Amino acid sequence: MVRLKVHGVLADPNTDTQIVVLREDQGSEILPIWVGSTEGQAIRLAIEGIVPPRPTSHDLLKGISEYLGIDARQVVVTDISNNTYYASIYVKTNGSEHTIDARPSDAIALALRVSCPIYATDDVMKHRAGEKLDEWLEKLDPENFGKYEA
């Protein structure tokens, strides 16, 4: 597995979506994941450390997990199929470990709130975003990332 950090969240100029850019923790490999605007905003809030006046769904999930003694251990982007990514949240509670299926955007938003590591499988990194990834990466403007790197 490859450990990743959230490098930034960008607006996709061609669609009404956001792009969560994950970067290899000790390297230069990038994994872009397209998410909805609401999900992108939830991730952006966590990166910037902004606490909204009312809890978001991810803040609620964090609070319930803490109350019930559920410890999120790691998030893993596990698969890609037809340009759709899949993820799992690995949790521990009462001495037993469980894996919970999740959308990558929700898993990442939670991981940032509970400070657990984010990974992608080697297979996901190998098959990410198809053949046009290098071309897409060359067009990125580093200034669009702002102060991110979580």
Side-chain angles (χ1 to χ4, degrees):
M1 287 199 297
V2 177
R3 185 160 181 174
L4 302 167
K5 296 272 188 180
V6 178
H7 185 65
V9 180
L10 305 170
D12 183 338
N14 300 316
T15 65
D16 187 31
T17 60
Q18 304 281 308
I19 307 163
V20 178
V21 180
L22 301 169
R23 173 175 265 157
E24 187 178 10
D25 190 28
Q26 299 296 320
S28 61
E29 293 294 318
I30 289 181
L31 175 62
I33 298 178
W34 276 253
V35 302
S37 58
T38 303
E39 293 82 359
Q41 181 64 16
I43 293 168
R44 190 176 284 112
L45 286 173
I47 291 170
E48 295 178 1
I50 296 172
V51 178
R54 301 289 299 145
T56 67
S57 298
H58 302 99
D59 298 320
L60 176 64
L61 183 57
K62 175 188 175 194
I64 290 170
S65 296
E66 288 171 348
Y67 180 78
L68 296 174
I70 300 169
D71 182 28
R73 311 293 277 183
Q74 67 182 9
V75 162
V76 179
V77 181
T78 57
D79 196 12
I80 179 172
S81 177
N82 297 323
N83 292 322
T84 300
Y85 288 95
Y86 297 85
S88 293
I89 303 169
Y90 291 78
V91 299
K92 186 173 186 177
T93 184
N94 296 326
S96 62
E97 297 184 7
H98 305 277
T99 304
I100 302 169
D101 183 36
R103 295 184 308 174
S105 56
D106 292 329
I108 292 166
L110 180 64
L112 291 170
R113 285 167 173 77
V114 300
S115 300
C116 76
I118 301 167
Y119 296 92
T121 64
D122 292 330
D123 195 50
V124 165
M125 294 303 288
K126 188 168 103 176
H127 294 100
R128 67 192 186 271
E131 302 168 359
K132 299 190 180 221
L133 179 61
D134 291 333
E135 179 182 318
W136 180 82
L137 290 171
E138 288 175 9
K139 293 180 184 177
L140 283 180
D141 182 357
E143 291 183 11
N144 290 335
F145 290 108
K147 61 184 176 186
Y148 302 137
E149 186 77 44

